[in-house]
Amino acid sequence: MLLDKAHFPRDKLCGGLISERSAKLLDRIFGDAIAPSYEHVSNGARIFYGAEPIAHVKDYKPMRLTMRRTFDAALLKSAHASGVDVREGCTVTSIATDRQAVKLETGEMLQADFIVGADGAASRVRKSVLPAAMDKHGFATGIEIEIPRDALHRDCPDPEIYLGCVRWGYGWIFPKRETVMVGVAGLARENGDLRGACRAFLLKVLGFVPNETLPGCPIPFGNHLKEPGVGNVLLVGDAAGFAEPITGEGIAFALQSASYAAQAIIEARESARPELAAERYFSHCRPLVQLFDDACLFRYLTFSQATQRHFAKLLQSSGSATKRYLEIVAADSDYRAFLRYLAKTAITRFPRTVVTLMRDRFHGT
């Protein structure tokens, strides 16, 4: 059974970029059922530092862009077609103390051997079973607005990433079929007025600030759980903090963690011991946790005021550096391989103490 408080289709704040990592998982899990929801496909990306273009990757692996109102509805339709009992407009308020049932807003109790919390960064499931688990200071805030393509007054065929527009975060322009999504995201504790920063960013990239409300939402940003669940209750996606600590990408890791959760549930059910699901799940999630731990360290190069300019200069002077970073996004490489690349080709572009610290940290783990 799938419970969701919303009625679909519905809008959701999200850049809507489907990375190659995500696409591989979607193909494996859903086949071609989701492909019709893609609105735009790009084979490149532009990166800016402030207002200055520093890198333009062309003829790379496809990056698909979608609108969550159609993408999520397609996922829900596929789940329903596979036999899932889908209940929309159904709000879960808490988990029973024995973790054998969920309580609905109506007061109804639904019993289950296994419960999976996929209810986002403000997860009520997580708060019910692990109320103090997630670091509250590790959340970013994302702010985004959708505007017509012609309001940009220029062509925008590729996703655009802007470093230096907010602290410990970035801005973006993601093209869709008839619109573009423009927004910023950054650690909440480092940005006292993120909406003000977003308005400044909009003025810079659009030449004006739309006279509309700027919606925002919390995003896990380096505060992932190393043990995302307890007994027969598992947390996936943003509920577990599984958003990439540099890019903020969440779709791929929601898919991957949900796949791990399904595998753990099958194993626990076959052994007739539901309480073992979390233990099995933690084991499956170790590669994700390691990736996020590495990204948390590496983002000091990407976002720290002491090193971000050096990182931008590296991307500006080396097209291969940008492509190698995109390989991480595509799940064809990892941060440790990227660090080895930096150590071989760009050690003089960074403060030696920073590179030495990171090298020792990676080799030590």
Side-chain angles (χ1 to χ4, degrees), residues 121-195:
S123 171
R124 291 181 178 179
V125 176
R126 183 185 69 244
K127 291 175 182 177
S128 291
V129 297
L130 294 169
M134 190 170 284
D135 176 15
K136 295 180 180 179
H137 298 290
F139 281 100
T141 299
I143 299 174
E144 184 180 65
I145 190 168
E146 180 181 5
I147 66 168
R149 265 181 173 269
D150 55 13
L152 196 59
H153 301 300
R154 62 178 174 84
D155 190 27
C156 182
D158 299 324
E160 298 180 358
I161 299 296
Y162 291 79
L163 300 173
C165 62
V166 295
R167 292 176 58 84
W168 286 82
Y170 64 94
W172 64 85
I173 302 178
F174 288 165
K176 308 300 174 70
R177 184 180 296 117
E178 298 178 353
T179 62
V180 293
M181 306 300 291
V182 187
V184 300
L187 270 175
R189 70 171 185 266
E190 297 287 341
N191 293 276
D193 182 14
L194 200 59
R195 279 188 170 79

Side-chain angles (χ1 to χ4, degrees), residues 24 33 77 100 105 132 188 215 224 309:
K24 292 172 184 175
K77 181 180 179 181
Q100 298 298 312
E105 195 171 47
H224 53 281
R309 185 177 297 276

Side-chain angles (χ1 to χ4, degrees), residues 254-330:
L255 291 163
Q256 186 66 76
S257 58
S259 180
Y260 289 153
Q263 187 175 349
I265 288 170
I266 290 169
E267 292 169 358
R269 186 182 180 190
E270 288 177 345
S271 64
R273 296 186 64 186
E275 71 277 7
L276 293 181
E279 181 182 324
R280 302 290 179 88
Y281 181 47
F282 301 161
S283 176
H284 295 316
C285 284
R286 281 174 190 156
L288 282 189
V289 172
Q290 185 65 68
L291 174 67
F292 294 152
D293 285 347
D294 290 348
C296 281
L297 179 65
F298 197 87
R299 68 180 182 173
Y300 281 90
L301 284 181
T302 311
F303 295 138
S304 169
Q305 285 185 306
T307 56
Q308 188 178 68
R309 185 177 297 276
H310 297 281
F311 184 71
K313 286 182 178 180
L314 171 67
L315 298 182
Q316 186 174 32
S317 63
S318 173
S320 63
T322 306
K323 285 190 174 182
R324 283 177 179 266
Y325 189 81
L326 289 177
E327 287 176 359
I328 301 174
V329 179

Side-chain angles (χ1 to χ4, degrees), residues 1 3 87 90-94 101-111:
M1 179 181 291
L3 308 174
R87 298 194 183 185
C90 200
T91 302
V92 173
T93 59
S94 63
V102 298
K103 184 178 181 179
L104 306 185
E105 195 171 47
T106 61
E108 182 182 2
M109 299 292 291
L110 297 176
Q111 294 195 343

Side-chain angles (χ1 to χ4, degrees), residues 46-65:
R46 293 177 179 269
I47 302 177
F48 297 75
Y49 182 59
E52 180 185 4
I54 58 173
H56 185 192
V57 175
K58 302 178 182 179
D59 301 321
Y60 193 67
K61 297 170 185 177
M63 287 177 278
R64 303 153 181 89
L65 294 112

